[in-house]
Amino acid sequence: MAKTALVTGSARGIGRAICEQLVKDGTAQNIIVCDVKKEWCEETVASLRALGATAEALELNVADAKSVEAGIAEAIRIFGALDIVVNNAGVTRDGLLVRMSEEDWDTVLNINLKGAFLVSREAAKFMMRARTGSIVNIASVVGQMGNAGQANYTASKGGLISLTKTCARELGGRGIRVNAVAPGFIKSKMTDVLSEDVKKAMLSVIPMKKFGEVEDIAKAVSFLAGDNAAYVTGQVLSVNGGMLMP
């Protein structure tokens, strides 16, 4: 039976790549594309339909409990199931600790960490009844090692790793797996505008001497979400070119 996946923050970038990879790998056939504005999702939906998937757009503010509750209910109404959830939505508001505003702290924690909690909580209620499901959280290498100028972001991603492990322990007995992918430096519009000196400095800490691609993250998510990882839960899969090793 075709599986249904909901991916937050999937209008563009890593989120869009995850949606497309889930379809290409046959991990899911029905895709709910979510972002804070429904119209942002149109291109991703069109791309997924061109790949042969059944895709629908959904407006979802992950930081708002009522929006999440309504969104998860709507996703289940549309497809009658919810097999896979990917908590990808995230933002940055960088700044040094002593200069960071409370607003920037709250914004990042509310979207990156509280958002994953709210979505996972609502999805788990359905998955527990179905006694099956897979949740994949998008963490970050800086959530594992820290990073100057990103106190809010690193705290949110470190918290997401801990949330992953706790949810895995709570939900494993109900047939629900919960894992995380921790990306390193991924090639994006943000890295494209960096100076050559900054890029060289970043690459110097990556043993593979190259930035990752969004597809590298998408493939890791598809593996953890799918049946090939049926006995994998509570794990953090680091996709960082070797910049952080145990």
Side-chain angles (χ1 to χ4, degrees), residues 81-92:
L82 186 58
D83 305 289
I84 297 165
V85 166
V86 182
N87 285 305
N88 169 73
V91 297
T92 58

Side-chain angles (χ1 to χ4, degrees), residues 34-243:
C34 303
D35 224 304
V36 290
K37 290 189 181 296
K38 189 173 182 178
E39 58 266 28
W40 292 357
C41 303
E42 291 176 358
E43 287 188 13
T44 301
V45 168
S47 172
L48 294 170
R49 288 174 177 170
L51 290 172
T54 304
E56 297 292 340
L58 186 67
E59 188 166 302
L60 187 69
N61 178 0
V62 298
D64 181 83
K66 290 184 178 179
S67 175
V68 171
E69 185 177 355
I72 296 296
E74 178 65 7
I76 294 168
R77 186 196 67 78
I78 292 171
F79 289 119
L82 186 58
D83 305 289
I84 297 165
V85 166
V86 182
N87 285 305
N88 169 73
V91 297
T92 58
R93 296 289 187 276
D94 295 349
L96 294 173
L97 174 67
V98 295
R99 298 175 184 170
M100 184 172 290
S101 68
E102 188 175 350
E103 180 183 3
D104 283 347
W105 173 272
D106 288 345
T107 296
V108 171
L109 269 292
N110 283 341
I111 294 172
N112 297 8
L113 184 54
K114 180 183 176 182
F117 155 69
L118 292 174
V119 172
S120 297
R121 183 181 66 177
E122 292 307 310
K125 292 175 183 177
F126 176 84
M127 291 177 174
M128 287 172 71
R129 292 194 296 272
R131 301 194 70 82
T132 186
S134 177
I135 298 172
V136 182
N137 297 319
I138 305 301
S140 171
V141 66
V142 299
Q144 298 169 302
M145 60 185 284
N147 196 36
Q150 289 192 307
N152 49 5
Y153 186 75
T154 58
S156 72
K157 295 301 185 177
L160 189 54
I161 289 170
S162 294
L163 178 67
T164 298
K165 293 178 180 292
T166 296
C167 290
R169 290 183 181 276
E170 289 189 11
L171 302 173
R174 300 297 185 95
I176 303 165
R177 299 182 299 106
V178 188
N179 293 287
V181 173
F185 291 124
I186 304 302
K187 189 175 181 181
S188 64
K189 290 181 179 179
M190 181 181 73
T191 57
D192 288 343
V193 301
L194 296 175
S195 70
E196 289 305 312
D197 287 343
V198 171
K199 287 181 181 179
K200 187 178 294 185
M202 294 170 71
L203 289 170
S204 70
V205 301
I206 304 174
M208 291 187 71
K209 302 304 177 187
K210 64 179 181 178
F211 294 123
E213 304 284 347
V214 293
E215 290 79 12
D216 294 320
I217 308 306
K219 289 173 182 178
V221 171
S222 183
F223 164 69
L224 288 174
D227 293 338
N228 286 335
Y231 197 53
V232 179
T233 195
Q235 303 304 304
V236 181
L237 179 53
S238 297
V239 185
N240 58 37
M243 66 179 292

